Structure formats: structure tokens, C-alpha cells
Amino acid sequence: MWQSSPPGSIYDYIRVASFSIGPDGLIEQWSRRAAGLFGMSFDEVVGKDPVEAFMPAELRPDAHRRVGEILDGKEWTGLVPFRIPGENSVRGLAEIYVMPSETEAGERAALCIVVDVRALRRIETDLAASQAIFGQSPFGFVLFGTDFTVVRANKRFATVFGGEADDHRGRTVEDYLTRPEAERLAGTLRRVLETGDSVTDLQLVGTPPGSVGRRHWSMNLYRVHSGSGRPVGIAGLATDVTQRHIAAREAASARRNLALLNEASARIGNSLDLETTARELLDVAVPGFCDLASVDLYQGLLTGEEASPGSWGRRHQESGTGSAELRRVAHASAVSDALPGVVPGARTGGGVEADGGTGPPELGSVHRYPFHSPCAVALRTGRVEDVPADGRGFVHSTLAVPMVAHDVVVGLVQFSRTKGSEPFGERDRALATELAARAAVCIDNARLYRREHERALILQRSLLPPGDPEAAGLDIACRYLPGNTATEVGGDWFDVIELPGHRTALVVGDVMGRGLRAAVAMGELRTAVRTLALLDLEPAEVLSALDEVARGLGTPGGGERSDGFGAGGGAQWPSRAAHKSREADLSEVYLATCVYAVYDPVTRRCTFANAGHLPPVVAEPGEPAMLLDVPPGMPLGVGGEPFEEVEVELKEGSLLALYTDGLVESRDHPLDEGLDAFRQALAEPSQPLEDVCDHVLRTLDTRHGEDDIALLMARIQGLAPNAVGDWQLPRELRSVSRARELARVQLTAWGLDELVDTTELLVSELVTNALRYGEGEIRLRLLRDRTLVCEVWDAGLVQPRRRRARDTDEGGRGLQLVGLLSAAWGSRRTPRGKTVWFELALPDGQPAAELSVEQLLSMY
């Protein structure tokens, strides 16, 4: 029976053997298990004394005595060491139960049952260890049978699920978990039992009896086998990982929040537009942070009211009538597509007063929040407020977060979560506050930039020539397109300056900088150009002087370095940091490029000088447009290099274009391509000049808004030959009368009889001064255009100067007459001397004004 025991029998775990001793004390029967235990076959032991065969020599005397007692009919049980055959150094320990027996002949014999004590000790140790692990384990330990019912559970498992450990015998997974989780665990148990593959970290969620919160368990499952290798069940070790799950969720939430803040830093504030910044905030928040969101900004902020910060909403809040007017500038939803009829911003914090009704405001609408509503409270206090759900909608958690920048509330953002999402917690409130604050700073910066941009634009436009400039011998058209609100105002400018002799100065420049400081620098340089132009200097001289001005403007104190001592002798030492900051601020904008051209309509010659600017473009009739080869020189403010002049004779009907780089250069194409496109756009210069300007702006890919664009175009007309009178006079006294005669005849031919007397008098004075103080031959020139200009040239370098004559002086009053009787007068240097000129207005049919007594007496 022992040799044919079924699998799983106790005899598979312990070593049990039997043999019998005959009346002679010798082994008579020997079982197979005995052969396995002692390592000796039937033939080797039958007929031998068991004491001599198995026991050590020192124990044999006592052993023989015991065998004798047994054969006398006495039972005996005890531990007997035995020698394992073939292993001299190894001794076994057996528990032997000896039962007296009788043979068929009635003789005394004995039946011996031997159990290997070592196997029993191992089983006992294993059971004790198993019991210690199973019973004392701090983890829930459960053993499922092959029918997936609980066979055994430890105390820790019972502590979690109630009752005593034995109470759980026979239960199934449905007794502990909800149906979905139970089905998932049952399927896993079945797979482990069938395949033998263990499962680690199986995540289960359930609610223990008597608990209201869900718990999370991590379960390890493995198949359990008998000694013969037969599967007998599945062991499960369950660990409560709820805290770990909470910590992991909080860590994931923290990582998500950090990622959200990082994304907010990268995406919010890329535009200086208020509405765009609000939309950027919602692009970050939805759906990463919430399901619905909306942004309201104060109407006063959006309309650019020049009120003190924070006063947009203070007036209404103090009066108790509710919030000030706000405009809904942005909203976003991650669920409205799936839920028909849902409008983003459905929760409005206690109702919205807009157009006499209540309800969620539409995008772009102006509304107010009632005084006691959570949104109005948030705007008034600057703190985050919870907006209660109304119990009817699908939104169950809403935060009203004021947008605070520099301690000033600029608007309100509402974050909402729908049913199915977790309600907002404290971490979420902190994150919402941070998101709103970042967007508020960007919005406030955009507001400040917009204000500065508008001021710079006003300043810039006020410094540009008003209306359509006019010039003798030129048909002029101009365009100025400032950058949009997304880019700062640049320092582009142009000007048309009338010079003596019906000449005209054309100027186009570009300050290297942006913003209000660039506009201020442009105004200063434009004023300097006008001042220098009135001195009637050559173009290269104008740029050289302007370069000195620009360098002076770029130096703290306007070019004068102060030693820091006051008038009283006390030292005044500003901080070094303030000095460096002021110096950096002043020097960063006073670099500019400029092209200066002077056009003479009598000769149709134009003289150019360039300070690092783009070359002028000329389109002659029937010829392709070309870039004039004018040496560019260094930009203004750099200094150290002289400027060169280029004189070009322009044909009648030619087109001259001066421009800034915003017209021909952008990020998408190089400068050369822009210049080629510009020249091709001037292929038909005979069209009306205004149409040519419009055609250029339509044709070129200017990407308007990236940079300012200034375009100054002039069509060359020149003065008609019959509008010019030019004569050479010898250096002799009769030239005075000759000059008066020439002037009288010419004015009569032009039909300007009303100006004859005044012109004769003033020409006589100028020619007399040329004879008295000048040198070389005298040249007289009369020009008729919008005014009458008279010029007297000589080779002398001494400039005329008005002075007050003494009562006894017989002369010295000529220039005073010129100043009193002319509309304007002056003098300028020429390459071969000087020119003195005066200008008279053409008759308009009204009688000429007579000199007053005070004016006449002023000459004495």
C-alpha cells in the first residue's frame, strides 16, 4: 500500500520504511522503502543482524540488549542513530516503533516501522516558517483553491475586510470587489492556474466594509504546487498602495502643473495684443487644466482710458452697484462639441447684468456682475472665489480667479470642470492663481505697450510733413505706413524742405531702434536736419553736421560730459549703475541711416549724400528703373568717416524714389530680391504719381506690420526756360542801373508789374553791396514759380550781415530794406563765392501792404 500511494499522500513528504526481525534476531523481511532509506538492497541485509549492519559500534551492546527485550515481547519506541551505508561520516536519525509479533510456528518475532526524523524535522520547520510568514505577515495573504474560493487568509487580510481569518474560508472574489474588478481578478486567477505564470503588481480598486473611501491594492499572484508538483491553488499577496497611489497622483499632478506652467511661460505673452493674450491663456488651460474657461477684461482697459491703474472697477464697486463694465474677450470649451446647447462660460457667478437680462455673456459682449456675486467679490478683493453649482447643469466646480498684475486687478478668468472630472482642490487653486497672474502681467504689459505705441505713433505722425508736400519743379507723393500694434513703432521719417532759389531738399531716414525712444530720436534728428538745411549747406556737410548731432544725442548730457561738480563747488556723484543705465538708454537709439538730396529745378540736377541708407532709385522715361550709385557711408552716430556727394542730372519726367528698408526687406526674402521687385514695380513711371505709390505698395511683399514703411517719390518737372532770367554783370558802377533795367524788363514780360518797384529797389541794394564788398563778376538771376526769387552772385566769401546804422551814417540800411520789403532773404556759400537772395510773394490781386512808421523808423 505504501508503494502505491496516490499523489498528494502524506507518504510523499515523510520517509517511512518497514522491516521484520525473525526469532533469531536477524532481518527476515526488507521493504523497498527500507532499501531506499538505508541504501541497502534486500539481498544485502536479509539474514543479517540489524544492530551490526546499521548501528555504530559504541551503541551496539545496548542495542543487542534492546533487541533481546523486544523478542521477549516488549514494545519499544525510540530514536536510534544509524549509519548510512557508503557514507562513513554521515549518520542518520530514525524514530523506530518496534512491535512484537509471532511466526506461524508460535515463535517470537518483531515488526519495525522506521521514520526518518530528518524529514519530519524539515516538515515541522517548514510548517512553522509557513505559519509565521502567513500569520505574522503585515501584508494581506490569501490562498485560493482550484475552485477560486478562499482556502485560507491571514489576520492582516481579515483586518482589512472584517471578521476573523477563518470567516473568509469559502468566499469568492465577488465578496470583496465590485463586478468589473472581481471579473478582472477572477480572469487573472484562472490564467495563473492554467499557465503557471505569476502576475505581479496587479492593481485593484475597492471599498472595504465600513469604509467610505476607495482603496488601492497591488496584488502578486502565483500558483502553488504539492510535493508531487500537482497545482493545489493560487497564493495572493495583497499590499495596500493607497498612499503610494495618492502620492503618485500628487506627483503626477505636480508634474502636470509644472508642465502646464512651463507651457504657459512659453505660450502666454507672445503677442502684445490683449485679446490674443487672453486666448493664449485659454489655449493652455483647456483641456489641460479645466473643461471650460472664459476671460473678462475691464472695458476701460480695452478702450485705453487714461485712468489710474485699478480705477476701472473701483467706482462701481464702492457704490455697491456691482462690478464695472467688463467685456468677454475669450472663451474655450473641451466638451461643448459633445454636449449640444452648452455654451462656454455657462456659469457666470451669480448672474450677469447685460442689456437688462441675465445669463452667460456672449463673446465680445459687455456686462457687469452683481455686487454680491462671487465674480464681483473676486474682482473687488483680488482673491479666488468658488462659484457654487446650480445643480442643473453639467458644471460642478468653478473658480473665479481675478487677474492681478502689479497689485492691480485687470480682469477675471473663470475655470470650470464638468461632472466626471475631479473638483478643484487647493493645488488647483494655487495653479489657477499662477496662470491668471502670468496672463495678467502679459496683459498689463500689452496695455502699457499699446499706450506707449499710441503715444509714439502720435509723436511720429506729428513730426512728419503735414498734407501733401509741394516743391518747385517737382510733383511729390509720399506714403508712410507705421508698424501695427504687434510691433513697436520704428524711427522711419521723411521730409521735404524748401531751400532758397526754389531748390528742394528731400530727406528719408531710419533710426535704428523701436518704441517711444526711437520716435523721440527721429524727431530730434528731423529737427536737426531742418535746422542744418536752412543753413543751405552742401548735402555732405549736412550729413557730417548731423552725424555730430547724433553722436552728441547718444552721449549722456547731450554730448557734454559733466565732472559732477555743482555751481557751489559741492561734488554731486550719481551712482555708477544709474550712470551706466542712463548711458545705455541714450546710446542705444541714436544710430540712424539717412539719405539727403538737394534738387535744383533750374538745372534739373540733384546732389545726393548717403549715410548708410539704401540707394535712391531713378526711373527715366522709357528706361528701366535703376539704383543710383551713391556711396553709402557710415550710419549717423558712428562718426570718423567723411561723406561723399554724387550729382546727377535728371531728365524731364523722371521718377525719383527714396524709401526705408521696410518696403524692400522682410524675414521671408533677402534685400536683393526686394530691391529687384521694387525696380520692376516702377516699370511704368508715367502714370499719376499717387497711382504709382499705390501700385508699389500693392505689388511688393512688404509684410506690412513687421516694420515701418516710408516712401517718398518725386517726378522731375524742372522750371520752364521762360521762368528763369540769368545775366552776367561786369564789376562796374553802371551795373547797378543795368541790373534794375533787366529786372524791370523781365518782370514786365512776366506780367508782374506790381513787383517792379520793389524788385528794382532791392536788386539795386544787392548789386551795390556786391560791388562794394564782393569780388569778381556779378551774376543776377530771377526765378518765377510759386514766388519770385532774386539771386545776386559774386566771388566774395564774406557773408552779408544786417546792422543798425547810426544816425550820422549815410549808408548801411540796404539789408534792412531787403528784410522789410521781402518775404524772406538770406545768403549761402557757393563753390566760387556766395549768393545773396530775397523772395517776394506773387501778386494776388490785393493791394500791397505799406510799411508802417515803426518799420521805417527801425532802420534808424
Side-chain angles (χ1 to χ4, degrees), residues 365-432:
S365 64
V366 178
H367 58 278
R368 293 188 182 129
Y369 291 108
F371 184 79
H372 294 291
S373 65
C375 290
V377 173
L379 289 169
R380 188 165 56 248
T381 63
R383 296 192 301 267
V384 181
E385 294 290 329
D386 291 300
V387 179
D390 58 10
R392 295 175 299 171
F394 70 103
V395 175
H396 74 108
S397 183
T398 299
L399 296 178
V401 186
M403 304 179 73
V404 183
H406 311 299
D407 297 329
V408 175
V409 178
V410 298
L412 182 79
V413 56
Q414 295 184 66
F415 301 108
S416 300
R417 287 180 178 173
T418 59
K419 294 180 179 179
S421 301
E422 293 185 2
F424 291 110
E426 288 302 318
R427 289 179 179 269
D428 296 322
R429 293 170 67 91
L431 178 60

Side-chain angles (χ1 to χ4, degrees), residues 752-774:
L752 301 177
D753 296 333
E754 297 179 22
L755 301 180
V756 171
D757 293 339
T758 303
T759 303
E760 280 190 272
L761 176 60
L762 299 185
V763 166
S764 176
E765 292 294 335
L766 294 186
V767 173
T768 299
N769 285 344
L771 288 173
R772 181 177 297 179
Y773 305 108

Side-chain angles (χ1 to χ4, degrees), residues 225-243:
H225 304 85
S226 65
S228 62
R230 180 176 60 88
V232 295
I234 304 99
L237 180 65
T239 306
D240 191 334
V241 293
T242 304
Q243 294 301 322

Side-chain angles (χ1 to χ4, degrees), residues 257-270 280-281 284-285 431 434-435 438-439 442:
N257 292 351
L258 289 175
L260 203 63
L261 289 176
N262 184 57
E263 184 181 5
S265 300
R267 297 180 60 182
I268 299 176
N270 293 321
E280 290 171 346
L281 167 63
V284 172
L431 178 60
E434 180 66 21
L435 289 175
R438 295 195 179 197
C442 295

